[in-house]
Structures are given as structure tokens and as C-alpha cells.
């Protein structure tokens, strides 16, 4: 893992009077130079489809989705993010337009539009694409009520994507990772994501009530596994909003590790103003401030995640 000190060696010198525009340009240079300096991770043998879910809001779900995806792209992986949340926060962070009328995950779920036609490349990072979400997605659950096998719509869309599959089937242009960002609920949109995925990544904040409501999510995952998607597993737990100065954070982390053992990443994500600021500039923290503790933590979490054996 590159430290902030190592990154500073390739950082252009700016004084304390740097303007916001110059600082943004500086960080863009750091991101590009840093990405080239990083050793690429080995690519998985086939596409890993991962749903990022937690019906509890405010746990860093979308933030973790976009930043791990961006970090993996910096590590030489080809990554697609599917925004399945009508709020479109993942689309915002990745700089993708998502106003009403823009081709989105709504079109894929309701009208059957191929995902490959909807995905857009991100400007800041190569090898990272996003299928945006628009507010139209809020009505998708109602529109799909009368549709046969409505819980399989996203799975069929992913199966039809020519770049998703094994190295033998999809070739060198295949996607290595697909991350699905879900709304903070256990409705039909999240059900579609669980049916379409092989792995579940659950962000848990290092705060009081961290495990509250998690039982319902795990029960839903077990039901999906039993009746709709037998290959689904909870592969990863990521502890977010970690404050090393407090006993509470350490206690919550210990409790999470006691419950989930090897599924918990060793890397924790600290509370960071820079991580929170990045989406307002249409960026992930990986390009907004690549030398920040938050960016370096997500980079190490992505490395750790990539080393896992695919489910």
C-alpha cells in the first residue's frame, strides 16, 4: 500500500495559497501518477458480481461502492457499477448524468434495454463504467408487480452482457467486477440485486446500533439463497466510519469480527471529511484527494477484497 508520504514524492509542489481550481488539478495529477505507479492486481478468472447492501441508511454503502470500484480500476481491473438506488448518489459520485430521461437502470429493468448500451465511462478513471440511476427507478417496483419472474430481471440483464463471464467466454475485454449499489431497503430492487449476484458486501458503521437490523438482511439473504440463488454468499464485511480515538469504535469492530470472523476485512475505513466532500465535486475520494487517509484506506480495502477467492 502506498502511504501519503510515498505519494507526496510524486506530488507537484503547491503552496498554502493554492486556489480550489489549482488544488483540484493537483489532485487529478496525483491520482493519475499514483494509479500508474501502482502494481496491478491479478484479474479474477471470471466476473465477480457483488451486491453492496444494508437496509440501514447512513452506513457508507454508496461511498464504499464507488470508492472500492474506483480503487480497483486504479489497480488495473475493469469495473462496472450499477446504480440501483433511485436517489442516484453513486451516479453523482462517478460524475454520470442521471436526470430524468437519461438511459438508466430503470430502462434495463422495465424495458429490457441492454446494459452495455446504457453504461457510460467515467471521466476521471480508465476501466470504470457506471449504469446510472434516475428518479424513474422509484416507480419500477410498482411497474414490475405484474411482470412474470420480476425478481430475475437484473440477473437476465447481466447474463446478456457480452463482457460479463469467464475469461474463456468473454475474453480479455471482460469486466472483472460488477458492483450493484442498492437502496436502503429490502424491496424488489434489492431482491433483484441479490438474485443477480454471487457475493454480498455489507458495510457496517463502527457506531452504536451497528448490528441493529442486520439480522433481517441476513434472513433475506438466506431466503434468496434457499429459493432463488443458491450460489449467493456473504463474502465481505467492511467496517466504516471508524474512529480509532474512541473505545466505542474498537468495541463495535471487535463485536463485528466476533460475529463474522474471516468475512471482515482487516482494513477499516476512517471517518473522513474528504470522503464526504468528494461526491459534491462529482468524484470519488480516489481522485478528489488520493493522498488522504480515506483514499488510502479504500485502496487497501480494495486490494484485500481482490485477494479474496471468488465465491
Amino acid at each position: 500500500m502506498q502511504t501519503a508520504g510515498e505519494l507526496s514524492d510524486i506530488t507537484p509542489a503547491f503552496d498554502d495559497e493554492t486556489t480550489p481550481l489549482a488544488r483540484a488539478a493537483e489532485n487529478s495529477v496525483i491520482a493519475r501518477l499514483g494509479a500508474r505507479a501502482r502494481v496491478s492486481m491479478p484479474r479474477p478468472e471470471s466476473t465477480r458480481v457483488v451486491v453492496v447492501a444494508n437496509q440501514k441508511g447512513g452506513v457508507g454503502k454508496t461511498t464504499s461502492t464507488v470508492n472500492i470500484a474506483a480503487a480497483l480500476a486504479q489497480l488495473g481491473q475493469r469495473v462496472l457499477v450499477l446504480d440501483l438506488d433511485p436517489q442516484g448518489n453513486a451516479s453523482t459520485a462517478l460524475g454520470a448524468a442521471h436526470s430524468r430521461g437519461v438511459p438508466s437502470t430503470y430502462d434495463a429493468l422495465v424495458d429490457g434495454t441492454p446494459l452495455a448500451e446504457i453504461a457510460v465511462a467515467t471521466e476521471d478513471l480508465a476501466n470504470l463504467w457506471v449504469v446510472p440511476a434516475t428518479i424513474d427507478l422509484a416507480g419500477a417496483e410498482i411497474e414490475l408487480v405484474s411482470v412474470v419472474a420480476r425478481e430475475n430481471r437484473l440477473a437476465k440483464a447481466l447474463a446478456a452482457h457480452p463482457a460479463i463471464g469467464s475469461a474463456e467466454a468473454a475474453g480479455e475485454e471482460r469486466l472483472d467486477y460488477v458492483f450493484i449499489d442498492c437502496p436502503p431497503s429490502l424491496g424488489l430492487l434489492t431482491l433483484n440485486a441479490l438474485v443477480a449476484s454471487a457475493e454480498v458486501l455489507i458495510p457496517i458503521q463502527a457506531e452504536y446500533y451497528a448490528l441493529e437490523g442486520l439480522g433481517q438482511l441476513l434472513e433475506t439473504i438466506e431466503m434468496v439463497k434457499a429459493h432463488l440463488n443458491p450460489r449467493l454468499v456473504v463474502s465481505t464485511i467492511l467496517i466504516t466510519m471508524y474512529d480509532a480515538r474512541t473505545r466505542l469504535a474498537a468495541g463495535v469492530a471487535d463485536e463485528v469480527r466476533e460475529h463474522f470472523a474471516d468475512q471482515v476485512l482487516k482494513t477499516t475505513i476512517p471517518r473522513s471529511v474528504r470522503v464526504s466532500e468528494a461526491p459534491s465535486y462529482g468524484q470519488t475520494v480516489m481522485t478528489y484527494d488520493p493522498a488522504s487517509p480515506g483514499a488510502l484506506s479504500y485502496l487497501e480495502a480494495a486490494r484485500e477484497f481482490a485477494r479474496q477467492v471468488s465465491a
Side-chain angles (χ1 to χ4, degrees):
M1 176 176 126
Q2 281 189 305
T3 65
E6 291 169 336
L7 277 172
S8 69
D9 292 337
I10 60 171
T11 302
F14 283 78
D15 58 33
D16 292 337
E17 302 301 319
T18 300
T19 65
L21 183 59
R23 193 174 298 280
E26 173 190 9
N27 287 335
S28 180
V29 170
I30 297 173
R32 285 168 172 76
L33 291 176
R36 286 203 297 270
R38 289 168 189 148
V39 178
S40 296
M41 298 288 295
R43 300 177 67 185
E45 289 298 318
S46 61
T47 306
R48 290 177 64 178
V49 182
V50 185
V51 54
V52 184
N54 193 330
Q55 82 273 19
K56 193 175 187 300
V59 300
K61 178 176 54 59
T62 298
T63 300
S64 296
T65 301
V66 298
N67 284 300
I68 288 179
L72 286 169
Q74 290 184 336
L75 292 169
Q77 309 297 298
R78 295 169 58 83
V79 187
L80 174 66
V81 173
L82 294 180
D83 192 349
L84 215 58
D85 187 343
Q87 298 177 85
N89 291 335
S91 304
T92 298
L94 294 173
H98 58 99
S99 57
R100 175 164 278 170
V102 171
S104 67
T105 45
Y106 170 86
D107 300 278
L109 286 174
V110 176
D111 298 328
T113 304
L115 290 172
E117 296 180 9
I118 307 170
V120 294
T122 59
E123 293 185 3
D124 293 318
L125 288 170
N127 295 330
L128 179 59
W129 295 266
V130 57
V131 178
T134 64
I135 193 62
D136 295 326
L137 197 59
E141 295 197 10
I142 297 174
E143 295 184 52
L144 291 174
V145 165
S146 59
V147 176
V148 176
R150 55 187 178 272
E151 69 278 358
N152 289 309
R153 301 285 289 185
L154 185 58
K156 290 181 179 179
L158 287 173
H161 197 298
I164 294 177
S166 65
E168 183 179 356
E172 287 301 307
E173 295 300 307
R174 71 185 183 281
L175 291 165
D176 297 305
Y177 296 88
V178 175
F179 288 95
I180 307 173
D181 184 44
C182 296
S185 67
L186 293 178
L188 186 56
L189 293 176
T190 300
L191 180 60
N192 260 270
L194 292 172
V195 172
S197 303
E199 305 178 48
V200 184
L201 186 159
I202 304 177
I204 297 178
Q205 81 279 32
E207 295 181 350
Y208 196 58
Y209 295 136
L211 300 178
E212 186 179 76
L214 194 59
Q216 186 180 359
L217 172 61
L218 296 176
E219 287 177 7
T220 301
I221 291 171
E222 286 303 314
M223 288 179 62
V224 170
K225 185 174 182 178
H227 301 288
L228 297 169
N229 182 8
R231 60 200 179 97
L232 184 66
V233 296
V234 177
S235 67
T236 310
I237 305 291
L238 176 64
I239 299 174
T240 62
M241 304 179 190
Y242 186 82
D243 188 344
R245 300 170 299 177
T246 67
R247 293 181 181 178
L248 174 62
V252 170
D254 289 343
E255 187 177 0
V256 171
R257 289 193 168 95
E258 183 181 340
H259 277 78
F260 296 102
D262 295 338
Q263 294 160 297
V264 185
L265 295 184
K266 294 178 182 178
T267 306
T268 58
I269 308 301
R271 280 194 173 278
S272 171
V273 173
R274 307 301 275 173
V275 170
S276 302
E277 285 177 349
S280 65
Y281 293 87
Q283 298 181 58
T284 67
V285 75
M286 305 308 299
T287 55
Y288 177 68
D289 192 353
S292 67
L296 294 174
S297 294
Y298 271 118
L299 180 64
E300 184 58 23
R303 279 198 180 103
E304 193 176 345
F305 176 79
R307 293 188 193 106
Q308 292 177 333
V309 178
S310 181

